[in-house]
Amino acid sequence: QLRMARETLEIYAPLAGRLGISQIKCELEDLCLKYIDPSAYEYLSDNIHAKIEERRVFVNSVVKDLREILSESSIKGEVFGRPKHFYSIYKKMKNKDKPLDQIYDLTAVRVIVKDISQCYTVLGRIHEKWKPIPGRIKDYIATPKPNKYQSLHTTVMTKYGQPFEIQIRTQEMHQIAEFG
């Protein structure tokens, strides 16, 4: 199981990422973590689930604020929160040598709009409402990733004093990002 998990992390998960199938990539990585570092997986599972209601309230508040931004801008779109998968959190903890309580973006919010100009309008409105964190704004629309992934990413400091990641993309970009 350990050998297969390593092989999957080295070959198949990156391949899914290259093909732009992030849903499968995330599932593979989380399954592999369960075998490569079972104690870390159990720790993340226990501690992330323990604070799930607190995060849900926070995310719902941010989603509500973002829906107001869309409404005020006369932009039709979808806004929803999503949890980050365990392996992504695990890598952040390892790479940045930080404990779980110092990883702030355990969840993220996505905004799906009709076209590219609306993506940039929404980004501007978000930065009017919340202060962007320097170095945490990424424009994958102007410079797509090699797997054709496109989206705007920004991390902002919310009114709660907590950093939060927001991704903005069109419906077509969302389909490509999720399903290749």
Side-chain angles (χ1 to χ4, degrees):
Q1 289 174 328
L2 189 57
R3 183 188 58 77
M4 289 179 77
R6 284 194 181 116
E7 180 179 312
T8 299
L9 274 180
E10 292 172 8
I11 298 170
Y12 302 110
L15 183 59
R18 279 284 202 197
L19 293 172
I21 313 168
S22 67
Q23 190 174 2
I24 292 173
K25 175 185 176 277
C26 294
E27 279 183 52
L28 290 173
E29 289 174 339
D30 282 355
L31 287 169
C32 291
L33 179 60
K34 208 177 207 179
Y35 296 100
I36 287 177
D37 194 341
S39 60
Y41 183 87
E42 189 175 327
Y43 171 80
L44 288 172
S45 179
D46 291 347
N47 287 283
I48 288 173
H49 289 339
K51 296 181 181 182
I52 200 160
E53 188 55 37
E54 181 183 317
R55 281 199 327 275
R56 186 174 298 139
V57 169
F58 175 69
V59 169
N60 287 343
S61 175
V62 172
V63 166
K64 181 179 174 264
D65 289 347
L66 285 167
R67 286 183 177 147
E68 286 175 14
I69 287 173
L70 290 179
S71 178
E72 291 165 3
S73 305
S74 301
I75 294 174
K76 289 185 186 340
E78 298 174 62
V79 182
F80 54 91
R82 67 173 186 86
K84 295 257 181 138
H85 68 291
F86 288 173
Y87 190 73
S88 168
I89 297 165
Y90 173 80
K91 280 194 330 190
K92 250 183 205 174
M93 290 170 62
K94 290 282 187 197
N95 293 343
K96 296 181 179 187
D97 195 30
K98 290 186 175 184
L100 182 60
D101 62 349
Q102 288 183 19
I103 305 293
Y104 299 111
D105 54 347
L106 298 177
T107 53
V109 169
R110 284 203 179 123
V111 179
I112 313 291
V113 294
K114 186 179 82 176
D115 58 41
I116 291 173
S117 66
Q118 288 180 346
C119 290
Y120 289 104
T121 299
V122 170
L123 178 68
R125 295 297 313 276
I126 287 168
H127 288 174
E128 285 174 13
K129 183 169 185 73
W130 296 303
K131 183 179 178 177
I133 296 175
R136 298 284 303 161
I137 303 166
K138 297 177 185 109
D139 186 345
Y140 296 118
I141 292 176
T143 55
K145 290 185 175 186
N147 65 2
K148 302 203 184 324
Y149 176 86
Q150 290 185 290
S151 187
L152 296 173
H153 293 200
T154 185
T155 302
V156 296
M157 191 61 75
T158 63
K159 63 187 175 191
Y160 309 103
Q162 187 173 359
F164 201 77
E165 183 182 79
I166 302 169
Q167 299 174 352
I168 309 155
R169 58 176 76 147
T170 66
Q171 185 61 44
E172 182 183 357
M173 291 173 196
H174 183 64
Q175 288 296 324
I176 291 169
E178 293 299 305
F179 307 110

